[in-house]
Amino acid sequence: PIVNFVRGLMGKKPIPEVTSMAAFSAACPEAFSGICVIAFLPDILDDQAKGRSARLEKFAAARKTAGGTFRFAWVAGGENAELEDKLGLGFGYPACVAVSPTKKRFAVMKGVFDTANLDSFLSGVVRGKESTSEVKPWPMKFGKYPAWDGKDAAIPVEEPEEPEL
């Protein structure tokens, strides 16, 4: 009863977007003894608002059932290429990583980005069934970029080249 009430409250607050180191520190403080779950979502040009919103809804549904051991955040894929490389996320987006700030270890979800796989991944992380690697260097470094405004991205228009005379 009270647990369900608290879980319901957790699901109402939007999942924060990590747009800087300060945003990451707020979402996943170094002293947090739980697990931070970070989704790396496709670039807005690839997904547009409808696709990104659908992925965030799946992520929020997983958060709703996960409980207080976890904190959730998301980043736009490609904005932190060096970090993504260190985490082994070269397979594309969306991707999901579980990070333990106190142990300085992480696990990468393998499989389809849907609520059932997210739930299974998080259950495996808690039970020690997911293989982990050390986060090097710590703290993880996030670049600074503008937050998503919730809208579709404008498709860039290339200017035609002038012919040489």
Side-chain angles (χ1 to χ4, degrees):
I2 189 90
V3 172
N4 291 337
F5 174 74
V6 171
R7 282 186 179 166
L9 290 176
M10 288 172 53
K12 294 187 188 317
K13 193 173 173 185
I15 295 174
E17 179 181 7
V18 175
T19 57
S20 65
M21 277 303 299
F24 176 69
S25 296
C28 185
E30 198 166 338
F32 178 56
S33 60
I35 297 167
C36 299
V37 185
I38 306 163
F40 290 78
L41 301 180
D43 186 278
I44 191 64
L45 284 170
D46 295 332
D47 242 9
Q48 292 297 347
K50 185 177 178 181
R52 181 170 282 176
S53 294
R55 292 180 200 281
L56 285 170
E57 284 176 25
K58 290 175 188 176
F59 201 46
R63 175 179 70 171
K64 208 172 198 177
T65 60
T69 303
F70 299 97
R71 290 199 181 171
F72 288 71
W74 68 277
V75 298
E79 294 292 344
N80 297 282
E82 185 178 330
L83 173 62
E84 292 168 25
D85 187 48
K86 288 179 181 177
L87 295 175
L89 303 181
F91 53 83
Y93 310 108
C96 184
V97 176
V99 179
S100 169
T102 53
K103 295 180 182 176
K104 298 173 180 44
R105 298 194 66 79
F106 73 96
V108 177
M109 183 179 92
K110 293 159 181 72
V112 177
F113 190 90
D114 63 21
T115 306
N117 280 334
L118 286 163
D119 288 344
S120 176
F121 170 65
L122 297 178
S123 175
V125 167
V126 169
R127 292 189 173 113
K129 304 258 184 213
E130 296 290 333
S131 72
T132 63
S133 301
E134 186 177 356
V135 177
K136 290 182 182 176
W138 185 266
M140 298 189 311
K141 304 281 188 238
F142 286 88
K144 190 169 184 158
Y145 66 93
W148 179 46
D149 61 8
K151 299 177 184 169
D152 283 339
I155 297 172
V157 178
E158 291 185 28
E159 296 292 323
E161 291 185 28
E162 295 290 324
E164 289 185 32
L165 298 176

